[in-house]
Amino acid sequence: MIDQEKIQKAVRMILEGIGEDPDREGLQDTPARVAKMYGEVFSGLHCDPCDHLETCFYEEKHDEMVLIKDISIYSMCEHHLLPFYGKAHVAYIPNPEKITGLSKLVRVVETLSRRPQLQERLTTQIADTIVEKLDAKGVVVVIEAEHLCMTIRGVKKPGSTTVTSAVRGICRTNHLTRAEAFSLLKGTHR
């Protein structure tokens, strides 16, 4: 689904466009390496994140909050095709009939992050996928990321972090549930 040949031609043109010689020793294999890398970093374009939530455990009747913190994310800003990276935190209150494996939630994050993205959209898509596919009672997704398009170009502010959140269901409507989720995220829950 990724057109490796087209990417290689484009990378060669970029190298020529910046005044480089794509035939010099250090750059000869760069177009092929970039094409292979793009196949990997954009692999989420050809996957449905809902597929990861097909497996549910029906015998468990857990209806309390589940939180996975510090899921590493690497994505590409669609505006500059530069990486943004950081951590995603996913909390959900399952429908007792649709509890999924923890790794499945991580795979949803991974699949959606491996597309040209905006952090805001990524946060929303993760939350909406969990709500829609698992019929979750509530969801909180928080992403903290550094964007290379802000650190190596433009405003050049390395170390700055962008934080986005998406809150759904009971986590949005019930202030105590919302407070519990954010308390767990901060690590201050007792």
Side-chain angles (χ1 to χ4, degrees):
M1 294 187 183
I2 300 280
D3 189 334
Q4 298 280 319
E5 187 176 323
K6 189 178 276 188
I7 295 170
Q8 289 180 39
K9 287 178 183 176
V11 171
R12 185 174 175 81
M13 288 177 64
I14 289 170
L15 291 170
E16 290 170 353
I18 63 170
E20 262 291 359
D21 175 9
D23 293 318
R24 77 171 170 83
E25 185 179 349
L27 294 176
Q28 287 174 352
D29 295 329
T30 297
R33 284 192 294 263
V34 171
K36 184 178 178 183
M37 175 198 60
Y38 275 15
E40 184 179 336
V41 299
F42 295 125
S43 62
L45 283 168
H46 309 291
C47 300
D48 183 349
C50 291
D51 290 348
H52 300 299
L53 300 177
E54 290 295 325
T55 303
C56 293
F57 304 101
Y58 301 103
E59 293 179 16
E60 298 300 323
K61 299 299 179 197
H62 187 81
D63 65 354
E64 300 291 329
M65 196 167 299
V66 176
L67 170 65
I68 304 173
K69 291 174 59 169
D70 299 328
I71 304 165
S72 295
I73 62 154
Y74 300 92
S75 195
M76 293 285 253
C77 168
E78 67 181 33
H79 294 154
H80 299 98
L81 290 182
L82 284 171
F84 65 92
Y85 61 93
K87 302 287 184 185
H89 316 287
V90 177
Y92 88 116
I93 300 174
N95 171 334
E97 304 300 318
K98 291 187 178 179
I99 295 173
T100 193
L102 300 176
S103 68
K104 306 306 183 192
L105 296 169
V106 173
R107 290 184 192 282
V108 168
V109 173
E110 179 76 9
T111 298
L112 290 168
S113 67
R114 291 200 172 267
R115 300 172 175 190
Q117 273 290 10
L118 299 174
Q119 182 175 331
E120 298 89 340
R121 181 188 314 122
L122 175 59
T123 309
T124 297
Q125 288 176 335
I126 294 166
D128 290 345
T129 299
I130 295 167
V131 167
E132 290 166 17
K133 188 64 181 174
L134 296 179
D135 193 27
K137 291 181 180 180
V139 174
V140 174
V141 176
V142 175
I143 296 179
E144 305 169 88
E146 183 169 338
H147 293 249
L148 288 185
C149 58
M150 284 183 31
T151 63
I152 66 170
R153 57 154 306 279
V155 296
K156 296 181 183 147
K157 296 298 177 200
S160 61
T161 303
T162 301
V163 180
T164 51
S165 67
V167 183
R168 303 289 185 268
I170 193 170
C171 294
R172 185 180 197 126
T173 59
N174 183 308
H175 74 280
L176 293 175
T177 305
R178 182 183 183 115
E180 177 187 4
F182 281 97
S183 173
L184 288 169
L185 283 170
K186 291 179 187 175
T188 59
H189 184 72
R190 295 175 194 225

